[in-house]
Amino acid sequence: VTRVFSKIAKRSPIAAKTISESRGALGTAAAAALFWQVSEQLALDMDLAVSSVMMPNAAAFWLPVLAQLLMLGALLSWALKEVELVGAVVDWWDDDELDGTEKTLISALESVLRFLIVIFGAILIANALDFNLATLIAGMGISGLALALAAKDTISNFFGAITVLIDRPFKVGDWILTKGDTNAEGEVIEIGLRTTLLRTSVDTIITLPNANLVSQAVENYGKRRWRRYQPTFHLDLDSNPAKVKKFCSGILEMIAENPQTLRESSSWACVETLGPQSIDVNVNMYWDIDSGKTERGAREVFLLSVMKLAMSLG
């Protein structure tokens, strides 16, 4: 086992610890399996007409059963410990640091694996004890139905979390706006198995059930490829038309030369309307910026440059 997972163990201390601690359980399972087969063979040999095996009937019955139970218990313990390798394997494959969404997905996958291991192990143990599996499974089905009806909201939130984590409409750190019965806006700070937490602009926390996020529209500002900016400048009605034209051309030059802008071919600066009090120049431009703070700083520099251009043209 150590050799098979040697590369992961070298990279992840958690994996190294998990592998080291689980070897004992795997060794116990192997020894119990061997003892189970030997004790069963000895019990069979007792029934032969000529047999050198002598032991009480109770021992002949219980030794194989106890050995099988010990083997199954050790295998179950080993499998539950190995579940912790899921995160180590993902970290080994992904060179980048895991974000909050990926960690939540790993946690959900580990929970599902543990649940399946326990259910499968319980069935094997029941079979080893000669329980009627048909009756047991039927009883589990009825109990499961009752449990599902009682915890339908929790189950829907869990599957909602799985949907969010697999489809990834947003991730931790994105600013989202929900549109539905519950309108909420804020930065995603945690995606749990039942709820998702948002931090609003006034520093409060909104708790959203994951089922609601799947059933309503979610606008994700973090997925924007650019940030559109459309300021309007009001010029004096007595302005010289030639200078107004130079003013518009100068704004376009600033947009083209700015390293924080993009889509220059789709940008414009032109006279939009002649109002009763001003000449309105409408500007359309796109920022190549990934944060609101940086955008506000870039806007300030741009607007001050526009002021200087207007002053130079009188």
Side-chain angles (χ1 to χ4, degrees):
V1 172
T2 305
R3 290 178 181 176
V4 170
F5 296 102
S6 60
K7 292 184 178 180
I8 302 177
K10 289 179 181 178
R11 179 164 178 172
S12 173
I14 297 177
K17 181 181 178 182
T18 301
I19 294 168
S20 176
E21 292 179 350
S22 63
R23 287 184 302 177
L26 193 60
T28 301
L34 178 62
F35 184 68
W36 171 35
Q37 294 300 315
V38 170
S39 58
E40 270 202 339
Q41 189 60 47
L42 290 175
L44 292 174
D45 289 346
M46 286 180 59
D47 297 332
L48 298 177
V50 179
S51 174
S52 59
V53 179
M54 296 179 60
M55 58 179 168
N57 291 330
F61 173 79
W62 283 108
L63 282 179
V65 173
L66 293 176
Q68 187 178 6
L69 290 176
L70 178 61
M71 179 196 70
L72 294 174
L75 283 176
L76 187 62
S77 174
W78 174 78
L80 290 173
K81 289 180 180 178
E82 294 301 307
V83 168
E84 298 178 6
L85 289 177
V86 172
V89 171
V90 174
D91 188 35
W92 180 47
W93 282 343
D94 190 357
D95 294 333
D96 299 329
E97 185 178 354
L98 298 178
D99 59 22
T101 305
E102 292 170 328
K103 291 179 180 177
T104 306
L105 180 59
I106 291 171
S107 176
L109 180 58
E110 289 177 348
S111 299
V112 172
L113 287 176
R114 288 191 183 96
F115 176 77
L116 293 176
I117 289 171
V118 170
I119 293 298
F120 188 65
I123 293 174
L124 290 178
I125 291 174
N127 183 49
L129 294 174
D130 289 334
F131 285 168
N132 189 335
L133 289 181
T135 305
L136 180 64
I137 292 174
M140 288 175 61
I142 296 173
S143 301
L145 179 61
L147 181 62
L149 292 174
K152 61 178 183 177
D153 292 337
T154 300
I155 294 173
S156 62
N157 287 329
F158 175 78
F159 283 103
I162 298 300
T163 302
V164 169
L165 293 171
I166 292 177
D167 293 345
R168 302 192 70 177
F170 53 82
K171 64 180 186 298
V172 174
D174 286 346
W175 190 276
I176 66 171
L177 171 64
T178 62
K179 299 178 180 180
D181 297 334
T182 56
N183 293 330
E185 182 177 1
E187 179 188 0
V188 180
I189 60 174
E190 182 181 336
I191 303 174
L193 295 180
R194 195 181 67 85
T195 59
T196 293
L197 302 182
L198 304 183
R199 186 176 295 280
T200 66
S201 57
V202 293
D203 203 33
T204 58
I205 299 294
I206 297 178
T207 303
L208 292 175
N210 290 325
N212 291 358
L213 294 175
V214 177
S215 60
Q216 64 186 8
V218 177
E219 185 175 1
N220 186 354
Y221 291 95
K223 294 284 187 180
R224 290 183 292 181
R225 295 172 294 173
W226 58 73
R227 294 171 181 244
R228 191 177 187 183
Y229 183 41
Q230 293 181 298
T232 299
F233 301 107
H234 307 284
L235 307 183
D236 193 284
L237 279 173
D238 296 331
S239 300
N240 187 312
K243 290 188 175 181
V244 173
K245 185 65 176 177
K246 287 184 179 179
F247 177 73
C248 295
S249 300
I251 291 177
L252 282 176
E253 290 179 5
M254 283 192 292
I255 294 174
E257 295 173 357
N258 194 323
Q260 293 180 303
T261 61
L262 44 69
R263 292 172 57 88
E264 287 80 5
S265 60
S266 300
S267 302
W268 70 77
C270 60
V271 175
E272 185 72 18
T273 57
L274 292 175
Q277 297 179 345
S278 64
I279 301 172
D280 296 338
V281 174
N282 188 25
V283 177
N284 182 76
M285 58 187 297
Y286 302 89
W287 296 113
D288 184 17
I289 291 172
D290 59 359
S291 72
K293 181 179 180 181
T294 307
E295 182 183 0
R296 287 191 292 272
R299 284 186 182 185
E300 180 183 33
V301 173
F302 174 75
L303 293 175
L304 291 175
S305 300
V306 171
M307 288 179 61
K308 293 178 181 178
L309 176 62
M311 291 176 66
S312 66
L313 294 172

